[in-house]
Amino acid sequence: MIYLDYNASTPLDPQVRDAMLPWLGEHYGNPSSAHAAGRPLRRAVDDARRQLAAMLGAEPDEIVFTSGGTEANNHVIKGVAHALRDRGKHIIISAVEHPAVSNPCHYLEQLGYEITVVPVDAHGLVDPQTIAGEVRGTTILISVMHANNEVGTIQNIAEIAAIAREGEVLMHTDAAQSCGKIPTDVSELGVDFLSVAGHKLYAPPGIGALYIRRGIQIEPLHHGAGHEGGRRAGTEPVANIVALGTAADLAIDRLDEADRLRSLRDNLFDLLRAALGDDVVLLGHPEHRLPNTLAVGFRDCYGADVLARCPELCASTGAACHAGAQSHSDVLTAMNVPPDVSCGMVRLSVGSPTTDSEIEAAAQMLIAAVTQLHEGTRVKR
């Protein structure tokens, strides 16, 4: 098996696993308990909060642990909508947001909120000035993802956040894909909220976090007891929180391997391009994209058919294009990628364990698959 789907989920880092183990058996108290069984768990949660804050350039009390990136996004969007509903009901998002952002916004539309979806260019990049032109007196939140999960394009969050501040609008970024791959310092980005997903940076599924800038009050998504400073009810899953804190520590060091991941990514594309020429199309921004992410469109192919001929290769498609039922990626549609390319989209994302030999083997598999498909019946343009 060759795993090139690190944007979907990462394996549990051995150091993260080892850090979790004591909190799965040896320590079993409630971190909210003041007695001897609870105090070690409270310290573990506090330590993890400091670790995650260090990765984000934040203060520990600005970190709220969640069940993942989806909960963090829902918390921001619904929490701001409820807290500021008397000021306005207008929210701005981009056309390439993850469903964990776009779908909560569509839900709010049913409740009378107005959602403006700003377009992107052919590389999936948002023009900050387009957002500036949409800000109005009733705008309460701008949410633009830091890096796209499908094509890897990195948005100019700092410039968008500056526009938000000028308009006295709160700013959120979904950083599920960028944490651990590129710097995510909240002061440099200038955001009020930032979402983290643990399983994207070598922690387990089921844990994430939300950065909330100090002084901002929004409605909790979960109501109950006063956990997480009253911002997220529910007894903290200490083992998972320790895992996320450890992963955040490792992520700081992992930023140093960006050049190696970029080299693997680019070598993979070079091998594909050398063999397939114009039949392979680079998707996403050629420069401003995640160092580990290669999204390509195999012209006149179905991405699912390509991967079906590569059973040892783990990768993702951006569309489900099959005879009788063609469903194109919303991201590629927003980028105006032509159907003969978008149907053949395959996302290949590398990670820390990826080797040069795996890249070479994956390239040969993909080249053979596309060549076989082209020797048969090509998809009509």
Side-chain angles (χ1 to χ4, degrees), residues 94-96 118-127 155 331 333-336:
S94 84
V96 294
V118 297
V120 295
D121 65 14
H123 299 308
L125 199 61
V126 174
D127 182 355
Q155 304 294 345
V331 172
T333 299
M335 293 165 55
N336 291 314

Side-chain angles (χ1 to χ4, degrees), residues 302 319-328 343:
Y302 295 138
C321 301
H322 300 285
Q326 296 193 3
S327 170
H328 296 267
C343 269

Side-chain angles (χ1 to χ4, degrees), residues 156-168:
N156 191 343
I157 296 301
E159 186 174 347
I160 297 171
I163 291 168
R165 284 196 303 275
E166 185 176 348
E168 298 184 344

